[in-house]
Coordinates of all heavy atoms in Angstrom, one line a residue:
M1 N -126.0 143.0 -33.7 CA -124.7 142.8 -34.3 C -125.0 142.3 -35.7 O -125.7 141.2 -35.9 CB -123.9 141.9 -33.5 CG -122.5 141.7 -34.0 SD -121.6 140.6 -32.9 CE -120.2 141.6 -32.7
K2 N -124.5 142.9 -36.7 CA -124.7 142.5 -38.1 C -123.6 141.5 -38.5 O -122.4 141.7 -38.3 CB -124.6 143.7 -39.0 CG -125.0 143.5 -40.4 CD -125.0 144.8 -41.2 CE -125.4 144.4 -42.7 NZ -125.4 145.7 -43.5
R3 N -124.1 140.4 -39.2 CA -123.2 139.4 -39.6 C -122.5 139.8 -40.9 O -123.1 140.4 -41.8 CB -124.0 138.1 -39.9 CG -123.1 136.9 -40.1 CD -124.0 135.7 -40.3 NE -123.5 135.0 -41.4 CZ -124.1 134.0 -42.0 NH1 -125.2 133.6 -41.5 NH2 -123.6 133.4 -43.0
R4 N -121.2 139.6 -41.0 CA -120.4 140.0 -42.2 C -120.7 139.1 -43.3 O -120.5 137.8 -43.1 CB -118.9 140.1 -41.8 CG -118.1 140.5 -43.0 CD -116.6 140.6 -42.5 NE -115.8 140.9 -43.7 CZ -114.9 140.1 -44.1 NH1 -114.6 139.0 -43.5 NH2 -114.2 140.4 -45.2
E5 N -121.1 139.6 -44.4 CA -121.3 138.7 -45.6 C -119.9 138.4 -46.2 O -119.0 139.2 -46.3 CB -122.2 139.5 -46.6 CG -123.6 139.7 -46.2 CD -124.4 138.5 -46.0 OE1 -124.2 137.5 -46.8 OE2 -125.2 138.4 -45.0
T6 N -119.8 137.2 -46.7 CA -118.6 136.7 -47.4 C -118.7 137.1 -48.8 O -119.7 136.9 -49.5 CB -118.4 135.2 -47.2 OG1 -118.5 134.9 -45.9 CG2 -117.1 134.8 -47.8
D7 N -117.6 137.7 -49.3 CA -117.5 138.0 -50.7 C -117.4 136.7 -51.5 O -116.5 135.9 -51.3 CB -116.3 138.9 -51.0 CG -116.1 139.3 -52.4 OD1 -117.0 139.1 -53.2 OD2 -115.0 139.8 -52.7
P8 N -118.3 136.5 -52.5 CA -118.3 135.2 -53.3 C -117.0 135.0 -54.0 O -116.4 133.9 -54.1 CB -119.4 135.4 -54.3 CG -120.3 136.5 -53.8 CD -119.4 137.3 -52.9
D9 N -116.4 136.1 -54.5 CA -115.1 136.0 -55.2 C -114.0 135.5 -54.2 O -113.1 134.7 -54.5 CB -114.7 137.3 -55.8 CG -115.6 137.6 -57.0 OD1 -116.2 136.7 -57.6 OD2 -115.7 138.8 -57.3
E10 N -114.1 136.1 -53.0 CA -113.1 135.7 -52.0 C -113.2 134.2 -51.6 O -112.3 133.5 -51.4 CB -113.3 136.6 -50.7 CG -112.3 136.4 -49.6 CD -112.5 137.3 -48.5 OE1 -112.7 138.5 -48.7 OE2 -112.5 136.8 -47.3
S11 N -114.5 133.8 -51.4 CA -114.8 132.4 -51.1 C -114.3 131.5 -52.2 O -113.7 130.4 -52.0 CB -116.3 132.2 -50.9 OG -116.5 130.9 -50.6
D12 N -114.6 131.8 -53.5 CA -114.1 131.0 -54.6 C -112.6 130.9 -54.7 O -112.1 129.9 -54.9 CB -114.7 131.6 -55.9 CG -116.2 131.4 -56.1 OD1 -116.7 130.5 -55.4 OD2 -116.8 132.0 -56.9
R13 N -112.0 132.1 -54.4 CA -110.5 132.1 -54.5 C -109.9 131.2 -53.4 O -109.0 130.4 -53.6 CB -110.0 133.5 -54.3 CG -108.5 133.7 -54.4 CD -108.0 135.1 -54.4 NE -108.7 136.0 -53.5 CZ -109.6 136.9 -53.9 NH1 -110.0 137.1 -55.1 NH2 -110.2 137.7 -53.0
A14 N -110.5 131.2 -52.2 CA -110.1 130.3 -51.1 C -110.3 128.9 -51.4 O -109.4 128.0 -51.2 CB -110.8 130.7 -49.8
S15 N -111.4 128.6 -52.0 CA -111.6 127.2 -52.5 C -110.6 126.7 -53.5 O -110.2 125.6 -53.4 CB -113.1 127.0 -53.0 OG -114.0 127.2 -52.0
R16 N -110.4 127.6 -54.5 CA -109.4 127.2 -55.5 C -108.0 127.0 -54.9 O -107.3 126.1 -55.3 CB -109.4 128.3 -56.6 CG -110.5 128.3 -57.5 CD -110.3 129.2 -58.7 NE -110.0 130.5 -58.4 CZ -111.0 131.5 -58.2 NH1 -112.2 131.2 -58.4 NH2 -110.6 132.7 -57.9
E17 N -107.6 127.9 -54.0 CA -106.3 127.7 -53.4 C -106.2 126.4 -52.6 O -105.2 125.7 -52.6 CB -106.0 128.9 -52.5 CG -105.7 130.2 -53.2 CD -105.6 131.4 -52.3 OE1 -105.6 131.2 -51.1 OE2 -105.4 132.5 -52.9
K18 N -107.3 126.1 -51.9 CA -107.3 124.8 -51.1 C -107.3 123.6 -52.0 O -106.7 122.6 -51.6 CB -108.6 124.8 -50.2 CG -108.7 123.8 -49.2 CD -109.9 124.0 -48.3 CE -109.9 123.1 -47.2 NZ -111.1 123.3 -46.3
A19 N -107.9 123.7 -53.1 CA -108.0 122.6 -54.1 C -106.8 122.4 -54.9 O -106.5 121.4 -55.5 CB -109.2 122.7 -54.9
A20 N -106.0 123.5 -55.1 CA -104.8 123.5 -56.0 C -103.9 122.2 -55.9 O -103.6 121.6 -56.9 CB -104.0 124.8 -55.9
P21 N -103.5 121.8 -54.7 CA -102.6 120.7 -54.7 C -103.2 119.4 -55.1 O -102.6 118.5 -55.7 CB -102.1 120.6 -53.2 CG -102.9 121.6 -52.4 CD -103.6 122.4 -53.4
Y22 N -104.5 119.3 -54.9 CA -105.2 118.1 -55.3 C -105.4 118.1 -56.8 O -105.3 117.0 -57.5 CB -106.6 118.0 -54.6 CG -106.4 117.9 -53.1 CD1 -106.7 119.1 -52.3 CD2 -106.1 116.8 -52.4 CE1 -106.5 119.1 -51.0 CE2 -105.9 116.7 -51.1 CZ -106.1 117.9 -50.3 OH -106.0 117.9 -49.0
L23 N -105.7 119.2 -57.4 CA -105.9 119.3 -58.8 C -104.5 119.0 -59.5 O -104.5 118.4 -60.6 CB -106.4 120.7 -59.2 CG -107.8 121.0 -58.7 CD1 -108.1 122.5 -59.0 CD2 -108.8 120.1 -59.3
E24 N -103.5 119.5 -58.9 CA -102.1 119.2 -59.5 C -101.9 117.7 -59.5 O -101.3 117.1 -60.4 CB -101.1 119.9 -58.7 CG -99.7 119.8 -59.3 CD -99.6 120.3 -60.8 OE1 -100.3 121.2 -61.1 OE2 -98.9 119.6 -61.5
K25 N -102.3 117.0 -58.4 CA -102.1 115.6 -58.3 C -102.9 114.9 -59.4 O -102.4 113.9 -60.0 CB -102.5 115.0 -57.0 CG -102.2 113.6 -56.8 CD -102.3 113.1 -55.4 CE -101.9 111.6 -55.3 NZ -101.8 111.1 -54.0
L26 N -104.1 115.4 -59.7 CA -104.9 114.8 -60.9 C -104.1 115.0 -62.2 O -104.0 114.1 -63.0 CB -106.2 115.5 -61.0 CG -107.3 115.1 -60.0 CD1 -108.6 116.0 -60.2 CD2 -107.7 113.7 -60.2
R27 N -103.6 116.2 -62.4 CA -102.9 116.5 -63.6 C -101.6 115.6 -63.7 O -101.3 115.1 -64.8 CB -102.5 117.9 -63.7 CG -103.6 118.9 -63.9 CD -103.2 120.3 -64.0 NE -104.3 121.2 -64.0 CZ -104.8 121.9 -63.0 NH1 -104.1 121.9 -61.8 NH2 -105.8 122.7 -63.1
Q28 N -100.9 115.4 -62.6 CA -99.7 114.5 -62.7 C -100.1 113.1 -63.0 O -99.3 112.4 -63.6 CB -99.0 114.6 -61.3 CG -98.3 115.9 -61.0 CD -97.8 115.9 -59.6 OE1 -98.0 115.1 -58.8 NE2 -97.1 117.0 -59.3
G29 N -101.3 112.7 -62.6 CA -101.8 111.3 -62.9 C -102.4 111.2 -64.3 O -103.1 110.3 -64.6
K30 N -102.3 112.3 -65.1 CA -102.8 112.4 -66.5 C -104.3 112.3 -66.5 O -105.0 111.7 -67.4 CB -102.2 111.2 -67.4 CG -100.7 111.2 -67.4 CD -100.2 112.4 -68.1 CE -98.7 112.1 -68.3 NZ -97.8 113.2 -68.0
V31 N -105.0 112.8 -65.4 CA -106.4 112.8 -65.3 C -106.9 114.2 -65.7 O -106.4 115.2 -65.1 CB -106.9 112.5 -63.9 CG1 -108.4 112.6 -63.8 CG2 -106.5 111.1 -63.5
K32 N -107.8 114.3 -66.6 CA -108.3 115.6 -67.0 C -109.1 116.3 -65.9 O -109.9 115.7 -65.2 CB -109.2 115.4 -68.2 CG -109.7 116.7 -68.9 CD -110.5 116.4 -70.1 CE -111.0 117.7 -70.7 NZ -111.8 117.5 -71.9
V33 N -108.8 117.6 -65.7 CA -109.5 118.3 -64.6 C -110.7 119.0 -65.2 O -110.6 120.0 -65.9 CB -108.5 119.4 -64.0 CG1 -109.2 120.2 -62.9 CG2 -107.3 118.7 -63.4
T34 N -111.9 118.4 -65.0 CA -113.1 118.9 -65.5 C -113.8 119.8 -64.5 O -113.5 119.7 -63.3 CB -114.0 117.8 -66.0 OG1 -114.4 117.0 -64.8 CG2 -113.4 116.9 -67.0
A35 N -114.8 120.5 -64.9 CA -115.6 121.4 -64.0 C -116.3 120.5 -62.9 O -116.3 120.8 -61.8 CB -116.6 122.2 -64.8
N36 N -116.8 119.4 -63.4 CA -117.5 118.5 -62.4 C -116.6 117.9 -61.4 O -116.9 117.7 -60.3 CB -118.3 117.4 -63.2 CG -119.5 117.9 -63.9 OD1 -120.1 118.9 -63.5 ND2 -119.9 117.2 -64.9
R37 N -115.4 117.5 -61.8 CA -114.4 116.9 -60.9 C -114.0 118.0 -59.9 O -113.8 117.7 -58.7 CB -113.2 116.4 -61.6 CG -113.5 115.1 -62.4 CD -112.4 114.6 -63.2 NE -112.9 113.5 -64.0 CZ -112.4 113.0 -65.1 NH1 -111.3 113.6 -65.6 NH2 -112.9 112.0 -65.7
Q38 N -113.9 119.2 -60.4 CA -113.6 120.3 -59.5 C -114.7 120.6 -58.5 O -114.4 120.8 -57.3 CB -113.3 121.6 -60.2 CG -112.0 121.6 -61.0 CD -111.7 122.8 -61.8 OE1 -112.1 123.9 -61.3 NE2 -111.1 122.7 -62.9
R39 N -115.9 120.5 -58.9 CA -117.1 120.7 -58.0 C -117.1 119.6 -56.9 O -117.3 119.9 -55.8 CB -118.4 120.7 -58.8 CG -118.7 121.9 -59.6 CD -120.0 121.8 -60.3 NE -120.1 122.9 -61.2 CZ -120.1 122.8 -62.6 NH1 -119.9 121.6 -63.1 NH2 -120.2 123.8 -63.3
V40 N -117.0 118.4 -57.4 CA -117.0 117.2 -56.4 C -115.8 117.3 -55.4 O -116.0 117.2 -54.2 CB -117.0 115.9 -57.2 CG1 -116.8 114.7 -56.2 CG2 -118.3 115.7 -58.0
L41 N -114.7 117.6 -55.9 CA -113.5 117.8 -55.0 C -113.7 118.9 -54.0 O -113.5 118.8 -52.8 CB -112.3 118.1 -55.8 CG -111.0 118.3 -55.1 CD1 -110.6 117.1 -54.2 CD2 -109.8 118.6 -56.0
A42 N -114.3 120.1 -54.5 CA -114.5 121.2 -53.6 C -115.5 120.8 -52.5 O -115.4 121.2 -51.3 CB -115.1 122.4 -54.4
R43 N -116.5 120.0 -52.9 CA -117.5 119.6 -51.9 C -116.9 118.7 -50.8 O -117.1 118.8 -49.7 CB -118.7 118.9 -52.6 CG -119.9 118.6 -51.8 CD -120.5 119.9 -51.2 NE -120.6 121.0 -52.2 CZ -121.7 121.5 -52.7 NH1 -122.8 121.1 -52.1 NH2 -121.7 122.4 -53.6
F44 N -116.0 117.8 -51.3 CA -115.2 117.0 -50.3 C -114.4 117.8 -49.4 O -114.3 117.5 -48.2 CB -114.3 116.0 -51.0 CG -115.0 114.6 -51.2 CD1 -115.5 114.3 -52.4 CD2 -115.0 113.7 -50.2 CE1 -116.1 113.0 -52.6 CE2 -115.6 112.5 -50.3 CZ -116.2 112.2 -51.5
L45 N -113.8 118.8 -49.9 CA -112.9 119.7 -49.1 C -113.7 120.5 -48.1 O -113.1 121.0 -47.1 CB -112.0 120.6 -50.0 CG -111.0 119.8 -50.9 CD1 -110.3 120.8 -51.8 CD2 -110.0 119.0 -50.0
T46 N -114.9 120.7 -48.3 CA -115.7 121.5 -47.4 C -116.2 120.6 -46.2 O -116.7 121.1 -45.2 CB -117.0 122.1 -48.0 OG1 -117.8 121.0 -48.5 CG2 -116.7 123.1 -49.1
G47 N -115.9 119.3 -46.3 CA -116.2 118.4 -45.2 C -117.4 117.5 -45.4 O -118.0 117.5 -46.5
M48 N -117.6 116.6 -44.4 CA -118.6 115.6 -44.6 C -120.0 116.2 -44.4 O -120.1 117.4 -43.9 CB -118.4 114.5 -43.5 CG -117.2 113.7 -43.7 SD -117.0 112.3 -42.6 CE -117.4 113.0 -41.0
E49 N -121.0 115.5 -44.8 CA -122.4 115.9 -44.6 C -122.8 115.6 -43.2 O -123.2 114.4 -42.9 CB -123.2 115.2 -45.7 CG -124.7 115.7 -45.7 CD -125.5 114.9 -46.7 OE1 -125.4 113.7 -46.8 OE2 -126.2 115.6 -47.4
G50 N -122.7 116.6 -42.3 CA -123.0 116.3 -40.9 C -122.0 115.4 -40.3 O -120.8 115.7 -40.5
D51 N -122.4 114.3 -39.7 CA -121.4 113.4 -39.1 C -121.3 112.1 -39.9 O -120.8 111.2 -39.4 CB -121.8 113.1 -37.7 CG -123.2 112.5 -37.6 OD1 -123.9 112.5 -38.5 OD2 -123.5 111.9 -36.5
K52 N -121.9 112.1 -41.1 CA -121.8 110.9 -42.0 C -120.9 111.1 -43.1 O -120.7 112.2 -43.6 CB -123.2 110.7 -42.5 CG -124.3 110.4 -41.5 CD -125.6 110.3 -42.2 CE -126.7 110.1 -41.1 NZ -128.0 110.1 -41.7
P53 N -120.2 110.0 -43.5 CA -119.4 110.2 -44.7 C -120.2 110.4 -46.0 O -121.4 110.1 -46.0 CB -118.6 108.8 -44.8 CG -119.5 107.9 -44.0 CD -120.2 108.7 -43.0
W54 N -119.6 110.9 -47.0 CA -120.3 111.2 -48.3 C -120.6 109.8 -48.9 O -119.8 108.9 -48.9 CB -119.4 112.0 -49.2 CG -119.2 113.4 -48.8 CD1 -118.1 114.0 -48.3 CD2 -120.2 114.4 -49.0 NE1 -118.3 115.3 -48.1 CE2 -119.6 115.6 -48.5 CE3 -121.5 114.5 -49.4 CZ2 -120.3 116.8 -48.5 CZ3 -122.2 115.7 -49.4 CH2 -121.6 116.8 -48.9
T55 N -121.7 109.8 -49.6 CA -122.1 108.7 -50.5 C -122.4 109.3 -51.8 O -122.5 110.5 -52.0 CB -123.4 108.0 -50.0 OG1 -124.5 108.9 -50.1 CG2 -123.3 107.4 -48.6
L56 N -122.5 108.5 -52.8 CA -122.8 108.9 -54.2 C -124.1 109.8 -54.1 O -124.1 110.9 -54.7 CB -122.9 107.8 -55.1 CG -123.4 108.1 -56.5 CD1 -122.4 109.0 -57.3 CD2 -123.6 106.8 -57.3
Q57 N -125.1 109.2 -53.5 CA -126.4 109.9 -53.5 C -126.3 111.2 -52.7 O -126.9 112.2 -53.1 CB -127.4 109.0 -52.9 CG -127.8 107.8 -53.8 CD -126.8 106.7 -53.7 OE1 -125.9 106.6 -52.8 NE2 -126.9 105.8 -54.7
S58 N -125.6 111.2 -51.5 CA -125.5 112.5 -50.7 C -124.7 113.5 -51.5 O -125.1 114.7 -51.4 CB -125.0 112.2 -49.3 OG -123.7 111.8 -49.4
M59 N -123.7 113.1 -52.2 CA -122.9 114.1 -52.9 C -123.8 114.7 -54.1 O -123.8 115.9 -54.3 CB -121.7 113.4 -53.5 CG -120.8 114.3 -54.4 SD -120.0 115.7 -53.6 CE -118.9 114.8 -52.5
H60 N -124.5 113.8 -54.7 CA -125.4 114.3 -55.8 C -126.4 115.3 -55.3 O -126.6 116.3 -55.9 CB -126.0 113.1 -56.5 CG -127.0 113.5 -57.6 ND1 -128.3 113.3 -57.5 CD2 -126.8 114.0 -58.8 CE1 -128.9 113.7 -58.6 NE2 -128.0 114.2 -59.4
R61 N -127.0 114.9 -54.2 CA -128.0 115.8 -53.5 C -127.4 117.2 -53.2 O -128.0 118.2 -53.4 CB -128.6 115.2 -52.3 CG -129.9 114.5 -52.5 CD -130.6 114.1 -51.1 NE -129.7 113.7 -50.1 CZ -129.3 112.4 -49.9 NH1 -129.7 111.5 -50.7 NH2 -128.5 112.1 -48.9
S62 N -126.2 117.1 -52.6 CA -125.6 118.4 -52.2 C -125.2 119.3 -53.3 O -125.2 120.5 -53.2 CB -124.4 118.1 -51.3 OG -123.3 117.7 -52.1
L63 N -124.9 118.7 -54.5 CA -124.6 119.5 -55.7 C -125.8 120.1 -56.4 O -125.7 121.0 -57.2 CB -123.7 118.7 -56.6 CG -122.3 118.4 -56.1 CD1 -121.7 117.3 -57.0 CD2 -121.5 119.6 -56.0
G64 N -126.9 119.5 -56.1 CA -128.2 120.0 -56.8 C -128.1 119.8 -58.3 O -127.7 118.8 -58.8
R65 N -128.4 120.9 -59.0 CA -128.5 120.8 -60.4 C -127.1 121.0 -61.1 O -127.0 121.1 -62.3 CB -129.5 121.8 -61.0 CG -130.9 121.4 -60.6 CD -131.9 122.5 -61.1 NE -133.2 122.1 -60.6 CZ -134.2 121.9 -61.4 NH1 -134.0 122.0 -62.7 NH2 -135.4 121.6 -60.9
E66 N -126.1 121.2 -60.3 CA -124.8 121.4 -60.8 C -124.2 120.2 -61.6 O -123.5 120.4 -62.6 CB -123.8 121.8 -59.7 CG -124.0 123.1 -59.1 CD -123.0 123.4 -58.0 OE1 -121.8 123.4 -58.3 OE2 -123.5 123.6 -56.8
C67 N -124.6 119.0 -61.1 CA -124.0 117.8 -61.7 C -125.1 116.7 -61.7 O -125.9 116.6 -60.7 CB -122.9 117.2 -60.9 SG -121.3 117.9 -61.1
D68 N -125.2 115.9 -62.8 CA -126.2 114.8 -62.8 C -125.5 113.6 -62.1 O -124.3 113.6 -61.9 CB -126.7 114.5 -64.2 CG -125.6 114.1 -65.1 OD1 -124.6 113.5 -64.7 OD2 -125.8 114.2 -66.4
L69 N -126.3 112.6 -61.8 CA -125.8 111.5 -61.0 C -124.6 110.8 -61.7 O -123.6 110.4 -61.0 CB -126.9 110.5 -60.7 CG -126.6 109.3 -59.8 CD1 -126.2 109.8 -58.4 CD2 -127.8 108.4 -59.7
S70 N -124.7 110.6 -63.0 CA -123.6 109.8 -63.7 C -122.3 110.7 -63.7 O -121.2 110.1 -63.6 CB -124.0 109.5 -65.1 OG -124.3 110.6 -65.9
S71 N -122.4 112.0 -63.8 CA -121.3 112.8 -63.7 C -120.6 112.8 -62.4 O -119.4 112.8 -62.3 CB -121.6 114.3 -64.1 OG -122.1 114.4 -65.4
V72 N -121.4 112.8 -61.3 CA -120.8 112.6 -59.9 C -120.1 111.3 -59.8 O -119.0 111.2 -59.3 CB -122.0 112.8 -58.9 CG1 -121.4 112.5 -57.5 CG2 -122.6 114.2 -58.9
Y73 N -120.8 110.2 -60.3 CA -120.1 108.9 -60.3 C -118.8 108.9 -61.0 O -117.8 108.4 -60.4 CB -121.1 107.9 -60.9 CG -120.5 106.5 -60.9 CD1 -120.6 105.7 -59.7 CD2 -119.8 106.0 -62.0 CE1 -120.0 104.4 -59.7 CE2 -119.3 104.7 -62.0 CZ -119.4 103.9 -60.8 OH -118.8 102.7 -60.8
R74 N -118.8 109.4 -62.2 CA -117.5 109.5 -62.9 C -116.4 110.3 -62.2 O -115.2 110.0 -62.2 CB -117.7 110.0 -64.4 CG -118.5 108.9 -65.2 CD -118.5 109.3 -66.7 NE -119.1 110.6 -66.9 CZ -120.4 110.9 -67.1 NH1 -121.2 109.8 -67.1 NH2 -120.8 112.1 -67.4
A75 N -116.9 111.4 -61.7 CA -115.9 112.3 -60.9 C -115.3 111.6 -59.7 O -114.1 111.6 -59.5 CB -116.6 113.6 -60.5
L76 N -116.2 110.9 -59.0 CA -115.7 110.1 -57.8 C -114.8 109.0 -58.2 O -113.8 108.8 -57.6 CB -116.9 109.6 -57.0 CG -117.8 110.6 -56.3 CD1 -119.1 109.9 -55.8 CD2 -117.0 111.2 -55.2
S77 N -115.1 108.4 -59.3 CA -114.2 107.3 -59.8 C -112.9 107.8 -60.2 O -111.8 107.2 -59.9 CB -114.9 106.6 -61.0 OG -116.0 105.9 -60.6
A78 N -112.8 109.0 -60.9 CA -111.6 109.6 -61.3 C -110.8 110.0 -60.1 O -109.5 109.8 -60.0 CB -111.8 110.8 -62.2
L79 N -111.4 110.6 -59.1 CA -110.7 111.0 -57.9 C -110.2 109.8 -57.1 O -109.1 109.9 -56.6 CB -111.6 111.9 -57.0 CG -112.1 113.2 -57.6 CD1 -113.1 113.9 -56.7 CD2 -110.9 114.1 -57.8
R80 N -111.0 108.8 -57.1 CA -110.5 107.5 -56.4 C -109.3 106.9 -57.2 O -108.3 106.5 -56.6 CB -111.6 106.5 -56.3 CG -111.2 105.3 -55.5 CD -112.3 104.3 -55.4 NE -112.5 103.7 -56.7 CZ -113.7 103.6 -57.3 NH1 -114.8 104.2 -56.8 NH2 -113.7 103.0 -58.5
G81 N -109.4 106.9 -58.5 CA -108.3 106.4 -59.3 C -107.0 107.1 -59.2 O -106.0 106.6 -59.3
A82 N -107.2 108.4 -58.9 CA -106.0 109.3 -58.7 C -105.4 109.2 -57.3 O -104.4 109.8 -57.0 CB -106.3 110.7 -59.1
G83 N -106.1 108.4 -56.4 CA -105.6 108.3 -55.1 C -106.0 109.4 -54.1 O -105.5 109.5 -53.0
L84 N -107.0 110.2 -54.5 CA -107.4 111.4 -53.7 C -108.5 111.0 -52.7 O -108.7 111.8 -51.8 CB -107.9 112.5 -54.6 CG -106.8 113.1 -55.5 CD1 -107.4 114.2 -56.3 CD2 -105.6 113.6 -54.7
L85 N -109.1 109.9 -52.9 CA -110.1 109.4 -51.9 C -110.2 107.9 -51.9 O -109.7 107.3 -52.9 CB -111.5 110.1 -52.1 CG -112.2 109.9 -53.5 CD1 -113.1 108.7 -53.5 CD2 -113.0 111.2 -53.7
E86 N -110.8 107.4 -50.9 CA -110.9 105.9 -50.8 C -112.4 105.6 -50.7 O -113.2 106.3 -50.2 CB -110.3 105.4 -49.5 CG -108.8 105.6 -49.5 CD -108.1 105.1 -48.2 OE1 -108.9 104.6 -47.3 OE2 -106.9 105.3 -48.1
E87 N -112.7 104.4 -51.2 CA -114.1 103.9 -51.2 C -114.2 102.9 -50.0 O -113.4 102.0 -49.8 CB -114.4 103.2 -52.5 CG -115.8 102.6 -52.6 CD -116.0 101.9 -53.9 OE1 -115.1 101.7 -54.7 OE2 -117.2 101.5 -54.1
F88 N -115.3 103.1 -49.3 CA -115.6 102.2 -48.2 C -116.9 101.6 -48.5 O -117.8 102.2 -48.9 CB -115.6 102.9 -46.8 CG -114.3 103.4 -46.4 CD1 -113.9 104.7 -46.7 CD2 -113.4 102.6 -45.7 CE1 -112.7 105.2 -46.3 CE2 -112.2 103.1 -45.4 CZ -111.8 104.4 -45.6
R89 N -117.0 100.3 -48.2 CA -118.3 99.6 -48.4 C -118.8 99.0 -47.2 O -118.2 98.7 -46.3 CB -118.1 98.5 -49.4 CG -117.8 99.0 -50.8 CD -117.6 97.8 -51.8 NE -117.1 98.4 -53.0 CZ -117.7 98.1 -54.2 NH1 -118.7 97.3 -54.2 NH2 -117.2 98.6 -55.3

């Protein structure tokens, strides 16, 4: 049985649709919607890393070369400031 390949455009469109209400909340809070913030938000929306919650380091690792560590930190801070996620210590 051959596995059906997912069309990348279809996958991107689904991610954008899923993220749309959250991006709107950022805009309403006067937070600029940057590419890095969109990447971090999309990663959160795909779920946790296994059974563990995301950490700054695990988020950075999962994004690979898409974002440097300081960009991930700033994106997480902006998302937290907009009320889209909570920080646990």
